[in-house]
Amino acid sequence: MNKRKTIFDTTLRDGEQTPGVSLTNEQKLKIARQLDKLGVDVLEAGFPISSQGEKQNVRAIASEGLTLDVCGLARVLPKDLDACIDCGVDMVHTFVSTSDIQRIHTIKKSREEVVTMAVDAVERIKEHGVKCMFSAMDATRTDLDYLTEIFRAVEGAGCDIINVPDTVGVMSPSRMYNLVNSIYKEVNIPIDVHCHNDFGIAVANSLMAVEAGASQVQCTVNGIGERAGNANLAQVVMSLHSIYGAKTNINTEYLLETSKMVENFTGIRSPPNTPIVGDNAFAHESGIHTHGVLEQSDTFEPGIMTPEMVGHKRRIVVGKHAGKHAVKKSLDDMGIETTEEQLDEILVRIKDIANKGKRICDADLHAVASAVLGRNLGQETIILKEFSVMTGNLTTPTAVVRATVGDEEAVASNFGVGPIDAALKAVEEMMGGYTKIKVRDFSLEAITGGSDALAEVTISVEDEDGRVVSAQSASADIATASVDALITAINILLEKKKLWTMQ
C-alpha cells in the first residue's frame, strides 16, 4: 500500500454500455476533461472498431491534449488494433476470451491459438511504440495454470500491464485475493483489475485485489456499466485513501462534481444513500446523531473521510426522528430566534406533519415557525405575477415568467425539453441578475388519482455558495406546482443569503 495506486476509468467505454445510455461526442469530451481534472491516470475513451462515430470520438479525445493517458479498446484482431492506433491513443487495451466457456462457445479457438493471437497482438501494438494492456477476458473463470501461461507469454512479448477482469462478477473477495496474489507471484509487470458488480461486491473485490498485489483498478463514475455495473470510482478511491492509507492521483474534492456531471449526461441517477456522493452520504436526521455531529462531527461520521474531502456538504435534516438540536440549527440557519417553549412547540408540530408520511422541507419549517411565533418571518423577494407555457408536438416548449423581484419587475423566457423544464429555466434566467441559483433536485408525485390528479412537486435549489433549500407545492397543473415550489425555495434561500452576509 506504500506504492501509489493508479486509477483506470472506463466510464466512456464500459460505462456507456449501460442499457439505455448513449453519450454525444460533446458530452464525451466534457466528461474526458472532467476526468482529467479529477486526476484519473488512464481514460478508456471507447472501442474504435465498433463504429465510425466511435472512432471519431476516441480520436477527438486523444487529440485534446489531456494530461492522462487515453486508451482505446481492441480485440486481438489486426483491424481492431489498427483502428486504435489510427486514433493516436497513448495505450491500446487488447483482450481475448480465455475461459473455456467463452473460448469454446464464442471465439471457437484452441488454447494454443489464443496464446498465439494474444502474443501477436501485443507485438503489433509495441511495434507502433504504444503502451499495451492485455486483458484475459473472463479471467476469473479461467483455469489458473492456463491463465498464468498466457500472462507470462504476453509479458515476454513486451506487454506493459495485464488486466484480470471479473467479467461476469462471480468472484468473492477472498477468492479474488487468492487469484491476484497467485498471478502477482508469477509475473513481473503491473496488474490491473476490472470487477463487475453483479453481486454488489465489485468494490470489495477490487480492494482485495489491491491487497493481493494489483497496482491499478478499473472503475466507472457512479459504478455504471454493463448489467449491474462496475466498481464505483468514488468508493474505490476513498476506501484506498481513508481506510488503507494508500495514495492515488485523484483530486478527491471533485468527486461529487464529477458524479453529478455523469448523472446529468447519462440520466442514471444515484440513489440518495449512495456512499460518498449520494445526497444522504453526509445527512443526519436522528436526534441522537444530529446532536453528536453538531458537537463533534466524527461522533457519527467516519472522521477519516469528511464531506469537504469529496466536495460534499454536511446536512442536518428535519424529520420525524429529529431532535431539538437539529430543529434549532435549521432555524438558526434561517435567522429565526425562538424561546425554549416555542422551539418545543415547533418540534411537536414538525413531528406531527412527518408522522403523516410527509417529507419536511425548509418551506414547511419556515411556515410552522411563522405560525408558532405568530408573525410572518422574512420578506418575499420574488412575487410571481404570471407565467405561461407553450408546448406541443410541433413546438419547442417555451415558457415566459413575469414577477416582481425586490422593487423591480422582471420578465424572462426560455426553452426546455418539456414545459416544466422550460418554466424552471425561465425562472433561473430571471434570477440571473440577482443571484446564481440552480435546480439541484426535482421530484414529482401524484397524490390523487385520475386524469385531473393533484400533483405534489418537491424542488431543491442551490446557490453559488452551496447552500441548499427545499420546498414543495401541490396543484393539478404540474407546471404551476413546479414554479410555485421553485419560487418558494428561492425566497427562503435569499433570506438565508442575507443572514449569512450579515454574519
Side-chain angles (χ1 to χ4, degrees):
M1 287 297 170
N2 293 329
K3 294 181 180 178
R4 187 172 292 270
K5 310 305 174 186
T6 54
I7 300 299
F8 181 110
D9 183 275
T10 183
T11 302
L12 298 183
R13 200 277 299 170
D14 206 328
E16 197 189 20
Q17 290 173 208
T18 302
V21 170
S22 181
L23 299 168
T24 66
N25 184 37
E26 184 57 34
Q27 287 172 336
K28 282 195 166 191
L29 282 170
K30 287 181 178 179
I31 291 174
R33 295 179 193 124
Q34 180 67 23
L35 291 171
D36 199 38
K37 175 182 175 182
L38 182 64
V40 304
D41 300 280
V42 186
L43 163 64
E44 191 164 49
F47 193 4
I49 198 65
S50 63
S51 71
Q52 192 58 38
E54 182 79 342
K55 187 174 182 179
Q56 291 172 354
N57 289 339
V58 174
R59 180 181 286 121
I61 294 170
S63 62
E64 264 298 289
L66 303 176
T67 302
L68 51 73
D69 281 347
V70 177
C71 176
L73 183 68
R75 293 167 296 184
V76 288
L77 303 177
K79 63 178 182 178
D80 284 39
L81 304 171
D82 292 345
C84 278
I85 294 165
D86 288 346
C87 290
V89 295
D90 303 294
M91 172 185 284
V92 176
H93 175 194
T94 187
F95 69 95
V96 65
S97 294
T98 55
S99 67
D100 287 344
I101 189 170
Q102 286 195 1
R103 181 179 54 77
I104 294 169
H105 296 287
T106 60
I107 60 175
K108 297 177 172 43
K109 299 290 184 181
S110 68
R111 287 187 172 187
E112 293 73 23
E113 287 175 310
V114 168
V115 172
T116 299
M117 294 167 69
V119 168
D120 288 347
V122 172
E123 289 177 345
R124 190 182 188 93
I125 294 165
K126 297 309 296 179
E127 285 171 2
H128 288 83
V130 179
K131 294 177 186 176
C132 174
M133 173 190 283
F134 171 76
S135 180
M137 189 158 73
D138 207 17
T140 56
R141 294 194 296 179
T142 300
D143 174 76
L144 180 56
D145 289 339
Y146 177 60
L147 188 61
T148 303
E149 177 189 343
I150 197 166
F151 280 148
R152 283 175 173 169
V154 296
E155 179 183 4
C159 188
D160 297 286
I161 184 169
I162 54 173
N163 171 237
V164 182
D166 187 20
T167 305
V168 293
V170 294
M171 289 299 271
S172 67
S174 58
R175 289 173 59 224
M176 193 70 183
Y177 178 94
N178 291 335
L179 174 63
V180 173
N181 194 243
S182 296
I183 297 166
Y184 178 72
K185 293 173 181 177
E186 298 293 335
V187 299
N188 295 305
I189 56 174
I191 300 173
D192 166 274
V193 290
H194 175 102
C195 297
H196 275 269
N197 204 37
D198 296 74
F199 288 91
I201 51 177
V203 171
N205 284 335
S206 299
L207 295 172
M208 290 303 285
V210 173
E211 282 195 28
S215 59
Q216 180 169 280
V217 180
Q218 294 197 16
C219 313
T220 59
V221 177
N222 298 336
I224 61 174
E226 286 275 5
R227 304 184 314 279
N230 294 263
N232 183 295
L233 186 148
Q235 294 169 31
V236 167
V237 168
M238 292 313 299
S239 294
L240 287 173
H241 285 205
S242 298
I243 297 175
Y244 287 91
K247 302 293 185 184
T248 74
N249 290 322
I250 297 297
N251 301 306
T252 61
E253 64 271 23
Y254 300 125
L255 284 171
L256 179 63
E257 179 179 290
T258 307
S259 170
K260 292 300 181 184
M261 174 183 283
V262 172
E263 275 191 1
N264 290 336
F265 288 164
T266 62
I268 306 295
R269 302 292 176 188
S270 297
N273 63 333
T274 300
I276 319 298
V277 297
D279 287 344
N280 292 348
F282 298 95
H284 306 271
E285 181 184 320
S286 162
I288 295 171
H289 284 231
T290 53
H291 184 195
V293 166
L294 290 171
E295 290 292 325
Q296 177 73 29
S297 63
D298 57 3
T299 53
F300 288 98
E301 285 181 0
I304 53 177
M305 176 181 68
T306 66
E308 293 77 19
M309 287 169 66
V310 300
H312 222 315
K313 287 186 178 293
R314 182 176 296 109
R315 290 193 304 125
I316 303 301
V317 179
V318 176
K320 68 186 294 184
H321 305 105
K324 267 189 179 182
H325 293 86
V327 174
K328 187 177 188 309
K329 175 67 166 61
S330 297
L331 292 171
D332 287 345
D333 286 346
M334 294 181 182
I336 300 172
E337 296 181 0
T338 66
T339 64
E340 281 295 310
E341 292 77 13
Q342 290 169 333
L343 181 59
D344 287 340
E345 179 61 21
I346 291 169
L347 181 59
V348 168
R349 294 195 188 191
I350 286 296
K351 291 197 175 217
D352 284 344
I353 296 171
N355 280 322
K356 294 173 184 175
K358 188 178 187 300
R359 172 185 169 186
I360 304 298
C361 294
D362 294 283
D364 298 317
L365 181 59
H366 197 276
V368 168
S370 296
V372 170
L373 271 61
R375 64 179 190 273
N376 289 328
L377 299 172
Q379 177 184 354
E380 289 189 339
T381 303
I382 313 166
I383 300 174
L384 180 66
K385 296 297 185 182
E386 63 177 331
F387 83 94
S388 59
V389 178
M390 179 175 65
T391 188
N393 63 346
L394 298 177
T395 305
T396 300
T398 307
V400 179
V401 178
R402 184 170 68 88
T404 301
V405 183
D407 298 325
E408 301 177 356
E409 183 169 292
V411 179
S413 64
N414 214 322
F415 304 101
V417 295
I420 296 174
D421 185 46
L424 298 184
K425 284 180 177 176
V427 175
E428 287 183 25
E429 182 173 314
M430 183 178 66
M431 295 304 302
Y434 303 90
T435 184
K436 291 182 180 178
I437 62 102
K438 64 179 179 180
V439 175
R440 179 174 171 178
D441 293 300
F442 176 94
S443 64
L444 172 67
E445 182 180 358
I447 54 178
T448 60
S451 60
D452 60 346
L454 192 66
E456 184 176 71
V457 170
T458 304
I459 284 182
S460 293
V461 297
E462 182 176 5
D463 69 6
E464 65 269 29
D465 297 314
R467 289 186 286 271
V468 179
V469 165
S470 58
Q472 289 178 328
S473 182
S475 173
D477 186 314
I478 298 172
T480 298
S482 301
V483 172
D484 285 346
L486 179 58
I487 288 181
T488 299
I490 294 173
N491 275 322
I492 296 174
L493 187 63
L494 292 174
E495 283 300 306
K496 279 192 174 186
K497 194 179 181 72
K498 290 178 187 175
L499 175 67
W500 282 59
T501 302
M502 288 188 291
Q503 291 175 340

